Amino acid sequence: MGRIYRSIIVAGKNKEKLTVAFVDSGADETVISQRLADEIGVQLYGVYRSYSATGQVIEGKFAEVTFRDGEIEITMEVGVSEVPFKSEYSDEEGVDVIIGVDFLQDTKVSLVFNR
């Protein structure tokens, strides 16, 4: 099975950006890159810490952002870190968001796979 990508608008309080998200059904939490957080001017707080499937430690901060794609609009707390965007899983140019299971559950989005 291939990877799933989605165009999405990510907004802070005063700025927003259309970017590319990688939908990762194996990720518990949604994460945005530090560079995207800087571009949309979100306030960072706390200490974010998670682990990838390979055991890599992902550290950073938290931010509150709004995601929109024409069908969905949700504001949620996300992790902010460059770590997952410099790994073997997300090395594609232009990917600034990893959508995790928290996003899928909060928006009630389901993934349907056809054989």
Coordinates of all heavy atoms in Angstrom, one line a residue, residues 56-100:
Q56 N 12.7 6.1 17.8 CA 13.3 7.4 17.8 C 12.6 8.4 18.7 O 11.3 8.4 18.6 CB 13.4 7.9 16.4 CG 14.0 9.3 16.2 CD 13.9 9.8 14.8 OE1 13.1 9.4 14.0 NE2 14.8 10.7 14.5
V57 N 13.3 9.1 19.5 CA 12.6 10.1 20.4 C 12.3 11.4 19.6 O 13.2 11.9 18.9 CB 13.5 10.5 21.6 CG1 12.9 11.5 22.4 CG2 13.9 9.2 22.4
I58 N 11.1 11.8 19.7 CA 10.7 13.0 19.0 C 10.4 14.1 20.1 O 9.5 13.8 20.9 CB 9.4 12.8 18.1 CG1 9.7 11.7 17.1 CG2 8.9 14.1 17.5 CD1 8.5 11.3 16.3
E59 N 11.2 15.1 20.1 CA 11.0 16.1 21.1 C 10.7 17.5 20.5 O 11.1 17.7 19.4 CB 12.2 16.2 22.0 CG 12.5 15.0 22.8 CD 13.7 15.1 23.7 OE1 14.7 15.7 23.3 OE2 13.6 14.7 24.9
G60 N 10.0 18.3 21.2 CA 9.7 19.7 20.7 C 8.8 20.4 21.7 O 8.9 20.2 22.9
K61 N 7.9 21.2 21.1 CA 6.9 21.9 21.9 C 5.5 21.6 21.5 O 5.3 20.8 20.5 CB 7.2 23.4 21.8 CG 8.6 23.9 22.2 CD 8.6 24.0 23.7 CE 9.9 24.7 24.1 NZ 10.0 24.8 25.5
F62 N 4.5 22.2 22.1 CA 3.1 22.1 21.6 C 2.7 23.4 21.0 O 3.3 24.5 21.3 CB 2.2 21.8 22.8 CG 2.3 20.4 23.3 CD1 3.0 20.1 24.5 CD2 1.6 19.4 22.7 CE1 3.1 18.8 25.0 CE2 1.7 18.1 23.1 CZ 2.4 17.8 24.3
A63 N 1.7 23.4 20.2 CA 1.0 24.6 19.6 C -0.4 24.2 19.3 O -0.8 23.1 19.2 CB 1.7 25.0 18.4
E64 N -1.2 25.3 19.3 CA -2.6 25.1 18.9 C -2.8 25.6 17.5 O -2.4 26.8 17.2 CB -3.6 25.8 19.9 CG -5.0 25.5 19.6 CD -5.9 26.0 20.7 OE1 -5.9 25.4 21.8 OE2 -6.6 27.0 20.5
V65 N -3.3 24.8 16.6 CA -3.4 25.2 15.2 C -4.8 24.8 14.7 O -5.5 23.9 15.3 CB -2.4 24.6 14.3 CG1 -1.0 25.0 14.7 CG2 -2.4 23.1 14.2
T66 N -5.2 25.4 13.6 CA -6.5 25.0 13.0 C -6.2 24.4 11.6 O -5.3 24.9 10.9 CB -7.4 26.3 12.8 OG1 -7.7 26.8 14.0 CG2 -8.7 25.9 12.1
F67 N -6.8 23.3 11.3 CA -6.7 22.6 10.0 C -8.0 22.8 9.3 O -9.1 22.6 9.8 CB -6.4 21.1 10.2 CG -5.1 20.7 10.9 CD1 -5.1 20.4 12.2 CD2 -3.9 20.8 10.2 CE1 -3.9 20.0 12.9 CE2 -2.7 20.5 10.8 CZ -2.7 20.1 12.2
R68 N -7.9 23.1 8.0 CA -9.0 23.2 7.1 C -8.7 22.6 5.7 O -7.6 22.7 5.2 CB -9.4 24.7 6.9 CG -10.0 25.4 8.1 CD -10.6 26.7 7.7 NE -9.8 27.6 6.9 CZ -8.9 28.4 7.5 NH1 -8.8 28.5 8.8 NH2 -8.2 29.2 6.7
D69 N -9.7 21.9 5.2 CA -9.5 21.4 3.8 C -10.8 21.5 2.9 O -10.9 20.9 1.9 CB -9.1 19.9 3.9 CG -10.2 19.0 4.1 OD1 -11.3 19.4 4.6 OD2 -10.0 17.8 3.9
G70 N -11.7 22.3 3.4 CA -13.0 22.5 2.6 C -14.1 21.6 3.2 O -15.3 22.0 3.1
E71 N -13.8 20.5 3.7 CA -14.8 19.6 4.3 C -14.7 19.6 5.9 O -15.6 19.4 6.6 CB -14.6 18.2 3.8 CG -14.9 18.0 2.3 CD -14.6 16.6 1.8 OE1 -14.9 15.7 2.6 OE2 -14.2 16.5 0.7
I72 N -13.4 19.7 6.3 CA -13.1 19.6 7.8 C -12.5 20.9 8.3 O -11.7 21.5 7.6 CB -12.2 18.5 8.0 CG1 -12.8 17.1 7.7 CG2 -11.6 18.5 9.4 CD1 -11.8 16.0 7.7
E73 N -12.9 21.3 9.5 CA -12.2 22.4 10.2 C -12.1 22.0 11.6 O -13.1 21.7 12.2 CB -12.9 23.8 10.0 CG -12.1 24.9 10.7 CD -12.6 26.2 10.4 OE1 -13.1 26.4 9.3 OE2 -12.4 27.1 11.2
I74 N -10.9 22.0 12.1 CA -10.7 21.6 13.5 C -9.5 22.3 14.1 O -8.5 22.5 13.4 CB -10.5 20.0 13.7 CG1 -10.4 19.6 15.1 CG2 -9.3 19.6 12.9 CD1 -10.4 18.1 15.4
T75 N -9.6 22.8 15.3 CA -8.5 23.4 16.1 C -8.1 22.4 17.1 O -8.9 21.8 17.8 CB -9.0 24.7 16.7 OG1 -9.4 25.6 15.7 CG2 -7.8 25.3 17.5
M76 N -6.8 22.1 17.1 CA -6.3 21.1 18.1 C -4.9 21.4 18.5 O -4.2 22.1 17.8 CB -6.4 19.7 17.5 CG -5.7 19.5 16.2 SD -6.0 17.8 15.4 CE -5.3 16.7 16.6
E77 N -4.5 20.8 19.6 CA -3.1 20.9 20.1 C -2.3 19.8 19.3 O -2.7 18.7 19.2 CB -3.1 20.6 21.6 CG -1.7 20.7 22.2 CD -1.7 20.4 23.7 OE1 -1.8 19.2 24.0 OE2 -1.6 21.3 24.4
V78 N -1.1 20.3 18.8 CA -0.3 19.4 18.1 C 1.2 19.5 18.6 O 1.5 20.5 19.2 CB -0.3 19.7 16.6 CG1 -1.7 19.5 16.0 CG2 0.2 21.1 16.3
G79 N 1.9 18.5 18.3 CA 3.4 18.5 18.6 C 4.1 19.4 17.5 O 3.6 19.4 16.4
V80 N 5.1 20.0 17.9 CA 5.9 20.8 16.9 C 7.4 20.3 17.0 O 8.0 20.5 18.1 CB 5.8 22.3 17.2 CG1 6.7 23.1 16.2 CG2 4.4 22.8 17.1
S81 N 7.9 19.8 15.9 CA 9.3 19.3 16.0 C 9.8 19.1 14.5 O 9.0 18.7 13.7 CB 9.3 17.9 16.7 OG 10.6 17.4 16.7
E82 N 11.0 19.2 14.3 CA 11.6 18.9 13.0 C 12.0 17.4 12.9 O 12.2 16.9 11.8 CB 12.9 19.8 12.8 CG 12.6 21.2 12.4 CD 11.8 21.4 11.1 OE1 11.9 20.6 10.2 OE2 11.1 22.4 11.1
V83 N 12.1 16.7 14.0 CA 12.6 15.4 14.1 C 11.9 14.4 13.1 O 12.5 13.8 12.3 CB 12.6 14.8 15.5 CG1 13.0 13.3 15.5 CG2 13.6 15.6 16.4
P84 N 10.6 14.3 13.1 CA 9.9 13.4 12.2 C 10.0 13.8 10.7 O 9.8 12.9 9.8 CB 8.5 13.3 12.7 CG 8.3 14.6 13.4 CD 9.6 15.0 14.0
F85 N 10.4 15.0 10.4 CA 10.5 15.5 9.0 C 11.9 15.3 8.5 O 12.1 15.6 7.3 CB 10.0 16.9 8.9 CG 8.6 17.1 9.4 CD1 8.3 17.4 10.7 CD2 7.5 16.8 8.6 CE1 7.0 17.5 11.2 CE2 6.2 16.9 9.0 CZ 6.0 17.2 10.4
K86 N 12.8 14.8 9.3 CA 14.1 14.5 8.9 C 14.4 13.0 9.0 O 15.6 12.7 9.3 CB 15.1 15.4 9.7 CG 15.0 16.8 9.4 CD 16.0 17.6 10.2 CE 15.9 19.1 9.9 NZ 16.8 19.9 10.7
S87 N 13.4 12.2 8.9 CA 13.6 10.8 9.1 C 13.4 10.0 7.8 O 13.0 10.6 6.8 CB 12.6 10.2 10.2 OG 11.3 10.2 9.6
E88 N 13.6 8.7 7.8 CA 13.4 7.9 6.6 C 11.9 7.8 6.2 O 11.6 7.5 5.1 CB 13.9 6.5 6.9 CG 13.2 5.8 8.0 CD 13.8 4.5 8.4 OE1 14.9 4.5 9.0 OE2 13.3 3.4 7.9
Y89 N 11.0 8.2 7.1 CA 9.6 8.1 6.8 C 9.0 9.3 6.2 O 8.0 9.2 5.5 CB 8.8 7.8 8.1 CG 9.2 6.5 8.8 CD1 10.0 6.5 9.9 CD2 8.8 5.3 8.2 CE1 10.3 5.3 10.5 CE2 9.2 4.1 8.7 CZ 10.0 4.1 9.9 OH 10.4 2.9 10.4
S90 N 9.6 10.5 6.4 CA 9.0 11.7 5.8 C 10.1 12.6 5.2 O 10.3 13.7 5.7 CB 8.3 12.5 6.9 OG 7.2 11.7 7.4
D91 N 10.8 12.1 4.2 CA 11.8 12.9 3.6 C 11.4 13.6 2.3 O 12.2 14.2 1.7 CB 13.1 12.0 3.4 CG 12.7 10.8 2.5 OD1 11.6 10.6 2.1 OD2 13.7 10.1 2.1
E92 N 10.1 13.5 2.0 CA 9.7 14.2 0.8 C 9.6 15.7 0.9 O 9.3 16.2 2.0 CB 8.2 13.7 0.4 CG 8.2 12.2 -0.1 CD 8.0 11.3 1.1 OE1 8.1 11.7 2.2 OE2 7.9 10.1 0.8
E93 N 10.0 16.4 -0.1 CA 10.0 17.8 -0.1 C 8.6 18.4 0.1 O 7.7 17.9 -0.6 CB 10.6 18.3 -1.4 CG 10.8 19.8 -1.5 CD 12.0 20.3 -0.7 OE1 12.9 19.6 -0.4 OE2 11.9 21.5 -0.3
G94 N 8.4 19.3 0.9 CA 7.1 20.0 1.1 C 6.2 19.4 2.1 O 5.1 20.0 2.3
V95 N 6.5 18.3 2.7 CA 5.6 17.7 3.8 C 5.9 18.4 5.1 O 7.0 18.4 5.6 CB 5.8 16.2 3.9 CG1 5.0 15.7 5.1 CG2 5.4 15.5 2.6
D96 N 4.9 19.1 5.7 CA 5.1 19.8 6.9 C 4.1 19.4 8.0 O 4.1 19.9 9.1 CB 4.8 21.3 6.7 CG 6.0 22.0 6.1 OD1 7.2 21.8 6.6 OD2 5.9 22.7 5.1
V97 N 3.3 18.4 7.7 CA 2.3 17.9 8.7 C 2.3 16.3 8.6 O 2.2 15.8 7.5 CB 0.9 18.4 8.4 CG1 -0.1 17.9 9.4 CG2 0.9 19.9 8.3
I98 N 2.3 15.7 9.8 CA 2.0 14.3 9.9 C 0.7 14.2 10.7 O 0.6 14.6 11.8 CB 3.1 13.5 10.6 CG1 4.4 13.6 9.9 CG2 2.7 12.1 10.9 CD1 5.6 13.0 10.6
I99 N -0.4 13.7 10.0 CA -1.7 13.6 10.6 C -1.7 12.2 11.3 O -1.5 11.2 10.7 CB -2.8 13.7 9.5 CG1 -2.9 15.1 9.0 CG2 -4.1 13.2 10.1 CD1 -3.9 15.3 7.9
G100 N -2.0 12.3 12.6 CA -2.0 11.1 13.4 C -3.4 10.6 13.7 O -4.4 11.2 13.3

